[in-house]
């Protein structure tokens, strides 16, 4: 399998796809606001100049919690062998449209940002849908757990998703062989991935549906790949404090946080299902 060059750059010209009336409405609003309905996107290794662009994408990553966001961005940008940022080709503003990476929770356990993130996840994971061994995954098993961070602008074309995730999981594999020390190589031998995301959950999802709402989906996924991760994961839902984006289609839905723990052995299944999802859209 070919290795990634020191500076990763791939050019893709795409137009946005949508997966539902809700996704169409969100993409329409976002496209009008961001003006990137058709563009040339390029993939790059993270670098310090991306700090402010990545910070914008991660601003509400942990809802409205005050935490060491800057510290987490420093970790992301400092890990150049695993991770990708997406930008517009020849964009003078150097805007970041997507960031994807995987951070070893054990390797960075002493960093303030990781300590605060773990505290947040343990506090919100106390509901009846909690992940049974989340405390263990965030604790003594953390050496084999990767925090999979994937944030982007809402109208980033879904055609990019297979490229982004394939690149990430390939880079993780290569890092287990190519990092300069055995310790660093071992830090990418993940057994689990933890993901933090947001979904729209029907307000009556936990109640018996009436005939008038039977046609409504129980969950609407803001990011289409989260539907696949959801099926493959142990998960826990948690309420959000931040104000939600509201449209007529969402009047019966509540923006909800979700923590998912996915076994690394399910990555191949995820990749296949993601490609099928994009091909069928």
């Amino acid at each position: 399998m070919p290795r990634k060059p020191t500076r990763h750059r791939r050019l893709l010209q795409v137009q946005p796809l949508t997966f539902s009336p809700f996704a169409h409405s969100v993409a329409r609003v976002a496209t009008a606001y961001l003006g990137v309905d058709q563009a040339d996107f390029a993939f790059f290794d993270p670098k310090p100049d991306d700090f402010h662009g990545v910070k914008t994408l991660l601003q509400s990553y942990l809802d409205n919690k005050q935490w060491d966001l800057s510290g987490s961005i420093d970790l992301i940008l400092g890990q150049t062998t695993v991770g990708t940022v997406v930008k517009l080709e020849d964009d003078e503003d150097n805007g970041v449209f997507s960031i994807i990476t995987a951070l070893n929770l054990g390797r960075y356990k002493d960093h303030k940002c990781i300590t605060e993130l773990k505290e947040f996840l343990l506090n919100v994971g106390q509901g009846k849908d909690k992940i049974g061994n989340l405390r263990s995954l965030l604790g003594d098993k953390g050496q084999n757990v990767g925090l999979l961070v994937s944030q982007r602008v809402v109208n980033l074309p879904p055609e990019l998703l297979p490229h982004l995730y394939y690149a990430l999981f390939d880079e993780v594999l290569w890092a287990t062989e190519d990092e300069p020390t055995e310790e660093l190589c071992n830090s990418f031998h993940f057994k689990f991935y933890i993901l933090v995301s947001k979904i729209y959950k029907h307000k009556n999802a936990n109640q018996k549906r009436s005939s008038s709402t039977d046609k409504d989906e129980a969950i609407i996924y803001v990011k289409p790949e989260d539907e696949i991760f959801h099926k493959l994961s142990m998960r826990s839902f948690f309420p959000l404090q931040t104000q939600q984006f509201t449209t007529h289609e969402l009047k019966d839905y509540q923006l909800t946080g979700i923590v998912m723990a996915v076994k690394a052995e399910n990555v191949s299944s995820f990749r296949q299902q993601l490609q099928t999802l994009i091909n069928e859209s």
Side-chain angles (χ1 to χ4, degrees), residues 89-212:
E89 174 71 0
D90 299 324
D91 180 18
E92 294 182 359
D93 294 332
N94 203 37
V96 177
F97 287 80
S98 178
I99 175 69
I100 187 168
T101 193
L103 300 174
N104 183 293
L105 293 180
R107 175 181 175 184
Y108 299 116
K109 63 183 176 63
D110 295 326
H111 289 257
K112 180 182 178 182
C113 59
I114 298 300
T115 300
E116 293 177 340
L117 179 139
K118 289 179 179 179
E119 291 175 351
F120 174 84
L121 295 181
L122 289 173
N123 287 335
V124 301
Q126 297 303 309
K128 67 177 183 178
D129 294 316
K130 66 183 179 180
I131 301 172
N133 59 347
L134 180 60
R135 184 172 297 277
S136 176
L137 292 177
L138 298 178
D140 56 354
K141 293 183 179 179
Q143 293 291 346
N144 300 117
V145 177
L147 177 69
L148 200 168
V149 179
S150 178
Q151 296 290 105
R152 58 183 182 269
V153 296
V154 293
N155 67 328
L156 189 79
E159 298 100 315
L160 294 180
L161 297 182
H163 301 281
L164 282 170
Y165 281 99
Y166 285 19
L168 175 68
F169 294 128
D170 283 347
E171 288 168 0
V172 168
L173 177 61
W174 297 337
T176 64
E177 303 173 0
D178 294 347
E179 288 295 292
T181 68
E182 182 179 1
E183 181 180 7
L184 286 176
C185 286
N186 290 338
S187 72
F188 291 100
H189 280 285
F190 298 128
K191 293 183 179 179
F192 281 90
Y193 289 98
I194 295 287
L195 299 95
V196 183
S197 193
K198 298 179 178 68
I199 59 172
Y200 283 93
K201 194 173 183 181
H202 198 281
K203 294 176 181 178
N204 297 325
N206 297 325
Q207 302 174 10
K208 182 177 176 62
R209 295 293 188 85
S210 67
S211 58
S212 62

Side-chain angles (χ1 to χ4, degrees), residues 236-253:
S236 177
F237 300 102
F238 61 93
L240 295 173
Q241 305 301 316
T242 51
Q243 186 176 2
Q244 72 180 69
F245 176 86
T246 303
T247 66
H248 175 73
E249 293 92 339
L250 293 173
K251 61 183 178 64
D252 294 323
Y253 289 84

